[in-house]
Amino acid sequence: MASPIVKESTSPEERLLKLLSEPSVQSLLTTVSRLPVFSKEMALAFKDDLDLLLALKQLKYFWNLPQSQLAILLEVMARQLEGPSQAAPFQEFLRVLTQTPNHAKNIKHLNDQLPAEVKAEYLRNADYLETADAHAVYPTSIYRQCDGFTLATKDASTIEAVMSTTLTTTIKIARKVLEPSNHLLYNIYKPLGRCVAVVDDKVDAIYGKELDAYFAGHGIEFKKIVSSGNEADKDIRDVERILVSLKKVGLADPQSNKIAPPEDRFVVTPTDLMITTLTKTQDMAAVGEVVRMLDGVDGMVVKYSTQPSEALRNVSVQTAKTNPNWAEMEKKGATSKLLEAGRDGESFCNLGFCFHFPDYSCPLLIAEMISGQAEGQLLQLLVKFGRVKKVLDIGTFTGYSSLAMAEALPEELDGSAVLVAGHQVGLVGSSWVTSSLLRPTSDHYPSGRTRSGGRDQLAKSCCSGDGRVVTLERQEEAAKMAAENWASSPHVGKIESRVGEAQALLQELASQGESFDLVFLDVDKPGYFALYQTLMETGLLRVGGLLAVDNTISVRCDEVCEMAVLPLHDRANELLTDWREVVMRLGFSNTSAMRYKGEELTGERLSVNGEGARALNAGLLADDRVLQVMLPLRDGLTLAFRQH
Ligand SMILES: C[S@@+](CC[C@H](N)C(=O)[O-])C[C@H]1O[C@@H](n2cnc3c(N)ncnc32)[C@H](O)[C@@H]1O
């Protein structure tokens, strides 16, 4: 099926795309990618055709193979399965393909040029493999597979692990390999673009010139490392010398080609600096350095943002105490940053320590969910700058964002305090007196604005102006804790808490004719897009109003790795803890795929959240009623202005 395509007179790039789109080729590639090619059974099944077996072993990794290598392997398949006449057109195809500038680039980079349904099928396969056989989509080397299995006690004090590595190799006994017409070495090194050879001084003396000529003749960059071939020199020092030479000739992990080399980068931002440090690194000290830089960025954002009020600081402290890991971590000193910040009278960067212990056994109070200082101050700034009066806070949790926004709302003490129906307090002429009188409040959790506050509550409510925050929370317990956290604030009277599912509460608010100047959306991400649609369709977000959405950066973990960590890929097992920390600290906590080499990092919830954030981002982009910008504050904060 494939040979008529390669014979066509179109450009080699077009022919390659057509080949990949040919159903029989696609089916062959996806099927082979799922085969256990290194197994004994597979070897025995193909024992009579070792060339075919070798081709299959490599084809398994087609997704990450250079384009010209795929062409070589298809030629082998055609020759072995259908005979030399069917294979012949592939040789000419390969010749012209290797003259194209991108022939050494991986197949997966052609993805976006494939027809939509073909692309979708390849992506489905890659997704499947990510779980079933991660090595097939993230190979360290196509000749090596690693596996591991770990069991741990609940407190992780004992870990039992079994690890294995499977190596495969091909040994060819051949004559005249350095004759220009012999394609044995060409087929291996042409797709890679270069060859580094370790030869001993005797071989170099006899074949050195021929070696140089062979690779030069085929336009393949060639570097030779000549070492002593004497028996006396064959010890660990010689190995070290060879390794140092390999480094000198620049034998980098091919994965590092995926990102611009450090010297080609225009380093401006702290993130640039961190990425260049990581890509240049050969040692773990640089990873530590990057972590310190990241800490520095967070710290600086906090230090140079207005400090939160005492009441907001208290919300952070109370929330942190709810974390089941708090005491444990305090013992281990893992919360030192938090404690120091508290001691120095500074506020908390965020409660990021949870990332080190992602055991979210407590379904409700996960301290990490709090929005934190910088975000709180940004919300305050938006409220003030936008002269906002009505705020909708979707996702109360322990009350940080509600209180932050309430603090920034106007205080218009131009009316006098009144006592209504024995236990409701308001200001004559203020909008909320009317609305709270008309609206039954018994379903709503008591706060300053609702009933059952008692005398202190009434006194506090007297101070409220005409700004108002309505905050929604599905968990009764969280709403209760929020109310306790607000109790000491003079702004408590501006907050009205409603308990229930956000979608239902939005419908309720809409039916009451409400609309808001500012909406802060910070609930479970899978529901983001539906809630956004309701806000827009019902007019709850008024024209001219602003929607702020938290946690909108949702990158896939492998993308993060490509950006920052892949050069360390080969040593991933040993580095796992460190690079996980780097990924987390880079701020991409909302990743949609938290698997790496088959290991699940932090669980399904984050994965689902990532998809939800992506759906919202796509929805916002497609909606010309809003003008939006995503800020890289922690794991993303999107501001969307409703223009019509
Ligand atoms: C990230 S926290 C909110 C943090 C809060 N804005 C702050 O500043 O600390 C999300 C909260 O939304 C609540 N929630 C999640 N999905 C919800 C839904 N569909 N309806 C109502 N509440 C929801 C959760 O129980 C949780 O308390």
Side-chain angles (χ1 to χ4, degrees):
M1 286 304 286
S3 62
I5 296 175
V6 293
K7 279 195 256 179
E8 285 176 9
S9 55
T10 51
S11 72
E13 289 100 332
E14 280 170 287
R15 279 181 272 166
L16 182 60
L17 289 173
K18 205 164 169 193
L19 266 181
L20 289 168
S21 310
E22 160 63 35
S24 59
V25 174
Q26 184 165 28
S27 157
L28 168 85
L29 294 174
T30 50
T31 307
V32 174
S33 70
R34 298 175 182 211
L35 290 177
V37 291
F38 294 169
S39 68
K40 242 184 224 163
E41 291 73 16
M42 184 91 179
L44 290 173
F46 289 91
K47 69 179 174 11
D48 297 326
D49 192 344
L50 293 186
D51 283 339
L52 190 54
L53 177 63
L54 172 60
L56 291 171
K57 280 185 185 177
Q58 298 179 35
L59 266 187
K60 177 178 176 80
Y61 301 101
F62 78 93
W63 198 230
N64 287 287
L65 288 184
Q67 297 163 20
S68 44
Q69 194 168 355
L70 180 71
I72 291 170
L73 295 172
L74 290 179
E75 192 267 339
V76 177
M77 298 288 286
R79 179 160 27 89
Q80 300 306 106
L81 296 173
E82 298 179 41
S85 62
Q86 292 295 319
F90 281 93
Q91 285 162 6
E92 174 54 17
F93 173 61
L94 177 65
R95 194 185 63 76
V96 285
L97 186 66
T98 51
Q99 286 163 14
T100 62
N102 291 330
H103 79 87
K105 284 216 164 134
N106 291 354
I107 293 295
K108 72 175 174 189
H109 290 126
L110 292 174
N111 212 9
D112 284 335
Q113 297 168 49
L114 293 168
E117 67 285 6
V118 176
K119 172 180 168 179
E121 192 52 46
Y122 279 120
L123 287 183
R124 250 195 304 281
N125 188 49
D127 269 354
Y128 165 80
L129 288 169
E130 194 168 313
T131 316
D133 182 2
H135 207 268
V137 270
Y138 303 120
T140 311
S141 148
I142 65 168
Y143 305 108
R144 195 173 76 204
Q145 257 185 12
C146 306
D147 203 359
F149 177 68
T150 53
L151 292 172
T153 51
K154 223 173 170 184
D155 63 356
S157 59
T158 305
I159 299 171
E160 273 300 322
V162 180
M163 285 156 268
S164 64
T165 302
T166 307
L167 296 177
T168 179
T169 187
T170 307
I171 299 164
K172 293 249 185 201
I173 314 284
R175 294 190 183 280
K176 301 189 177 159
V177 277
L178 296 180
E179 277 187 6
S181 60
N182 190 315
H183 269 217
L184 203 60
L185 294 172
Y186 173 92
N187 283 354
I188 299 171
Y189 295 104
K190 187 68 182 176
L192 298 175
R194 68 171 182 158
C195 171
V196 176
V198 180
V199 291
D200 76 25
D201 48 0
K202 319 293 178 289
V203 172
D204 189 43
I206 304 169
Y207 294 108
K209 283 205 177 90
E210 266 183 89
L211 270 167
D212 293 340
Y214 179 89
F215 288 102
H218 285 301
I220 302 169
E221 184 192 347
F222 182 58
K223 295 211 167 134
K224 227 170 15 185
I225 295 171
V226 181
S227 64
S228 162
N230 298 332
E231 285 304 311
D233 294 324
K234 291 183 184 167
D235 65 14
I236 191 70
R237 278 179 304 251
D238 219 32
V239 174
E240 277 171 8
R241 268 193 296 275
I242 292 173
L243 290 177
V244 170
S245 309
L246 287 176
K247 199 174 156 191
K248 272 196 196 137
V249 299
L251 189 71
D253 177 347
Q255 302 282 7
S256 62
N257 295 336
K258 289 181 179 164
I259 55 177
E263 59 276 16
D264 291 353
R265 274 179 174 262
F266 186 49
V267 178
V268 181
T269 64
T271 313
D272 289 337
L273 191 58
M274 290 181 263
I275 290 172
T276 41
T277 310
L278 277 181
T279 48
K280 277 186 291 191
T281 187
Q282 295 292 330
D283 67 287
M284 284 312 301
V287 175
E289 182 69 8
V290 168
V291 170
R292 271 191 298 282
M293 285 187 228
L294 288 160
D295 271 350
V297 174
D298 279 353
M300 213 156 159
V301 169
V302 164
K303 187 168 174 187
Y304 293 106
S305 299
T306 299
Q307 300 305 301
S309 65
E310 202 46 48
L312 282 174
R313 205 187 302 274
N314 185 48
V315 178
S316 298
V317 173
Q318 295 310 320
T319 305
K321 284 182 183 167
T322 65
N323 192 303
N325 292 322
W326 164 267
E328 186 68 13
M329 285 184 289
E330 207 174 354
K331 257 189 262 154
K332 291 181 187 162
T335 58
S336 58
K337 186 165 104 185
L338 193 72
L339 295 172
E340 274 164 30
R343 260 204 310 276
D344 296 352
E346 283 184 28
S347 59
F348 310 113
C349 291
N350 55 49
L351 300 170
F353 58 81
C354 279
F355 292 146
H356 303 275
F357 301 88
D359 171 22
Y360 298 140
S361 51
C362 169
L364 165 66
L365 297 167
I366 301 161
E368 165 252 325
M369 294 209 296
I370 196 168
S371 40
Q373 182 201 338
E375 210 157 288
Q377 298 301 6
L378 178 63
L379 291 172
Q380 293 201 334
L381 188 148
L382 294 173
V383 169
K384 291 198 181 205
F385 188 68
R387 296 178 192 280
V388 166
K389 292 201 171 170
K390 287 172 75 183
V391 173
L392 179 58
D393 178 44
I394 312 179
T396 315
F397 188 45
T398 54
Y400 194 98
S401 50
S402 319
L403 185 58
M405 294 187 283
E407 285 181 352
L409 283 168
E411 316 277 352
E412 289 176 11
L413 297 171
D414 53 356
S416 47
V418 292
L419 192 65
V420 181
H423 55 191
Q424 289 238 349
V425 173
L427 297 170
V428 174
S430 77
S431 57
W432 72 258
V433 170
T434 356
S435 57
S436 56
L437 276 174
L438 294 176
R439 192 175 53 244
T441 55
S442 53
D443 290 345
H444 308 150
Y445 201 83
S447 73
R449 182 56 57 78
T450 50
R451 61 185 67 187
S452 88
R455 275 198 179 279
D456 289 350
Q457 198 70 46
L458 298 183
K460 276 163 203 146
S461 297
C462 289
C463 302
S464 61
D466 72 347
R468 174 176 171 232
V469 179
V470 176
T471 183
L472 316 180
E473 171 58 54
R474 65 150 67 117
Q475 304 216 42
E476 186 102 34
E477 204 183 322
K480 190 170 161 208
M481 191 167 162
E484 283 160 11
N485 285 337
W486 302 322
S488 61
S489 164
H491 302 274
V492 60
K494 299 173 189 170
I495 306 173
E496 176 187 325
S497 162
R498 297 191 178 197
V499 177
E501 274 303 306
Q503 189 60 259
L505 292 175
L506 290 188
Q507 300 296 346
E508 180 186 90
L509 283 164
S511 71
Q512 289 162 354
E514 299 277 8
S515 84
F516 296 86
D517 309 312
L518 174 64
V519 178
F520 180 47
L521 180 57
D522 186 17
V523 285
D524 278 2
K525 319 313 160 205
Y528 263 12
F529 187 54
L531 292 172
Y532 167 71
Q533 285 174 311
T534 305
L535 288 168
M536 296 295 282
E537 302 324 324
T538 57
L540 280 169
L541 176 65
R542 73 162 169 86
V543 172
L546 186 73
L547 169 68
V549 193
D550 203 7
N551 321 108
T552 47
I553 289 183
S554 71
V555 288
R556 293 166 60 97
C557 197
D558 48 344
E559 286 168 10
V560 180
C561 295
E562 282 205 15
M563 284 190 288
V565 196
L566 257 188
L568 305 175
H569 187 272
D570 253 353
R571 297 160 67 202
N573 279 343
E574 129 199 17
L575 300 182
L576 197 58
T577 331
D578 300 281
W579 81 252
R580 183 188 317 197
E581 185 167 316
V582 172
V583 170
M584 290 303 183
R585 287 183 185 221
L586 274 167
F588 303 108
S589 60
N590 199 21
T591 52
S592 62
M594 292 301 288
R595 289 207 174 95
Y596 183 71
K597 287 188 150 195
E599 187 193 350
E600 184 149 338
L601 295 183
T602 47
E604 202 52 36
R605 204 187 113 202
L606 285 174
S607 168
V608 174
N609 280 349
E611 290 310 323
R614 280 174 178 225
L616 178 80
N617 291 337
L620 287 173
L621 269 185
D623 189 343
D624 67 2
R625 288 173 297 179
V626 291
L627 182 72
Q628 78 272 7
V629 58
M630 184 195 279
L631 305 176
L633 193 62
R634 295 188 64 194
D635 59 350
L637 180 78
T638 292
L639 300 178
F641 173 71
R642 178 164 196 179
Q643 357 185 46
H644 56 85

